[in-house]
Amino acid sequence: MKTLKGAAAGLTAAAVLLLTTACSGGAAGSGESLQHPAEECGAGRTITLALNQTEEHPSYIALDEFGNDMLVETGDWYIEVFPNETLGAQAEALQLVAAGAVDMAIVSGTQLENLNDDFVVFNLPGLFEGVEHQMEVVHDPEIVGDLYTSLEATNNVTVLGGFTQGTRSVYTTFGPAETPADMSGKKIRVQESPLHIDMARALGGSGTPMAYGELYSGLQAGVVDAAENNEVSYASQRHYEVAPYFSQTDHLVGLDYLIINTDTLNELCQEDREIFDAAWEAAYTYHQELWEEATLEAIEEAKAGGATFTEVDEEAFAEPLNALAERYIKTDSQKKLYEASRADVE
Ligand code: GCU
């Protein structure tokens, strides 16, 4: 295990990409989990976790607490969070976790949709009614079934659950976007996902996929004219400095996942695994508690920095956005997931 890790750490990102692509069939796993806790509780170690947010972001705060809880409760396991994409942007972090060069990462749902298209369902505008509904759905084992273990056989990655990204809206360099027509001919930065490229079209513009950390300079240089994200990211990344018009489209309740290399998870003995699961549950609960306040503070910070917030014509955006679910839900397993997620609200 340690030798393998050392070897993987020496690979370049491109080599890791090739390695993991070759190992993954591209399809969903067999549904059989590869998890098996270590029989004996050996000495723990520091687990590395890649994050693309700043140290002020609720995700960093909650994960840092997770790491400290692990150390206090086990005495030897600790999680060290590396913020600001220092271990790579999300696409790369996912590959590094698969290869075992990094143990854990927070990745947006859009990254996982490229490995198993069942994940598309949770990336759809209109699926979640709000943060509370989202957190209930994504942490309900009856709804998620074997989705979170589906990447173990193909990618050696286990999904542990999620953090909310809150509600995402459009922000622009050129003026408010009150209707999709205002976005006509404009380039919107999106995450690396076919669904979200289509979502940009539904918002009235055209989608340009780009890593999160490149977006500030992308907006500044005019590579893109707009982006879409929650208020917390808008403020913590200081995007309001280069795109000061925030139009409240509220088009998507986005989702981040906490992922872990499956071999790393299997290093934990049963007792440590129980502590780990409880500390993770405490972390996502804490994150949810922090979210609302963080959003209000972010709005104030962006306004103080010169941003304007505009309400939009919600009706005008609704129809093209709602059409996405019809286009993207094709298989029986996607339908099952969609219906189970909507069961309590319809
Ligand atoms: C949010 C989300 C990140 C994601 C980012 C993005 O900030 O929490 O995980 O990477 O949006 O738009 O890329």
Side-chain angles (χ1 to χ4, degrees):
M1 180 67 211
K2 294 242 156 65
T3 335
L4 234 184
K5 258 196 184 81
L11 294 176
T12 64
V16 169
L17 185 73
L18 281 176
L19 176 77
T20 48
T21 313
C23 295
S24 82
S30 61
E32 236 174 77
S33 172
L34 298 187
Q35 292 176 43
H36 48 79
E39 275 171 26
E40 286 183 15
C41 299
R45 63 177 176 88
T46 295
I47 292 177
T48 50
L49 193 160
L51 179 69
N52 65 357
Q53 310 289 1
T54 65
E55 278 123 311
E56 287 75 44
H57 192 281
S59 298
Y60 181 87
I61 296 169
L63 291 167
D64 189 47
E65 186 100 342
F66 182 16
N68 290 335
D69 282 358
M70 280 299 286
L71 190 58
V72 170
E73 299 286 326
T74 65
D76 49 12
W77 286 100
Y78 176 62
I79 299 168
E80 183 169 3
V81 186
F82 291 82
N84 299 314
E85 290 190 358
T86 40
L87 296 182
Q90 285 187 352
E92 197 181 0
L94 170 59
Q95 303 298 338
L96 293 171
V97 170
V102 170
D103 295 300
M104 296 168 91
I106 289 285
V107 293
S108 185
T110 47
Q111 300 289 339
L112 301 189
E113 115 189 10
N114 301 318
L115 300 178
N116 170 3
D117 63 14
D118 283 353
F119 283 99
V120 159
V121 177
F122 288 169
N123 297 337
L124 277 165
L127 180 79
F128 300 118
E129 293 295 296
V131 172
E132 214 168 300
H133 174 227
Q134 178 190 50
M135 286 296 104
E136 273 165 26
V137 166
V138 306
H139 294 123
D140 183 341
E142 299 226 333
I143 297 179
V144 296
D146 61 11
L147 182 68
Y148 294 171
T149 54
S150 68
L151 304 177
E152 291 179 352
T154 49
N155 300 81
N156 208 22
V157 165
T158 304
V159 177
L160 296 163
F163 277 158
T164 193
Q165 293 178 1
T167 309
R168 298 176 71 113
S169 286
V170 165
Y171 46 91
T172 49
T173 55
F174 55 85
E178 286 166 36
T179 67
D182 294 333
M183 296 293 297
S184 174
K186 304 294 185 188
K187 286 196 194 122
I188 312 178
R189 175 271 171 174
V190 288
Q191 301 175 74
E192 302 96 323
S193 136
L195 164 62
H196 282 202
I197 292 175
D198 251 7
M199 184 180 77
R201 225 166 282 146
L203 291 166
S206 68
T208 302
M210 188 183 281
Y212 187 53
E214 288 168 22
L215 181 52
Y216 185 100
S217 55
L219 287 162
Q220 192 176 37
V223 177
V224 288
D225 312 296
E228 52 79 49
N229 217 316
N230 55 60
E231 293 86 345
V232 177
S233 287
Y234 184 54
S236 60
Q237 297 294 311
R238 306 177 79 87
H239 289 163
Y240 59 83
E241 292 177 351
V242 283
Y245 304 95
F246 193 97
S247 304
Q248 254 148 343
T249 49
D250 289 337
H251 57 270
L252 173 74
V253 184
L255 180 62
D256 279 334
Y257 291 103
L258 180 61
I259 59 166
I260 185 166
N261 175 278
T262 308
D263 293 335
T264 298
L265 192 59
N266 287 340
E267 283 180 49
L268 296 167
C269 65
Q270 190 59 38
E271 195 185 324
D272 289 339
R273 175 65 195 265
E274 281 164 21
I275 293 170
F276 180 86
D277 288 344
W280 163 231
E281 188 174 340
Y284 67 70
T285 307
Y286 182 37
H287 184 274
Q288 192 178 340
E289 284 164 14
L290 292 174
W291 192 260
E292 205 180 318
E293 188 63 31
T295 301
L296 296 175
E297 280 172 19
I299 294 172
E300 288 317 309
E301 189 184 330
K303 279 186 180 163
T308 53
F309 285 74
T310 309
E311 305 220 336
V312 304
D313 178 353
E314 282 173 26
E315 294 269 297
F317 284 101
E319 201 183 303
L321 287 168
N322 290 340
L324 292 170
E326 243 165 77
R327 219 171 314 144
Y328 277 84
I329 299 199
K330 296 187 211 119
T331 67
D332 287 347
S333 55
Q334 289 174 327
K335 275 185 204 138
K336 196 171 152 217
L337 207 50
Y338 183 85
E339 278 155 22
S341 306
R342 297 290 303 164
D344 282 349
V345 287
E346 278 174 356

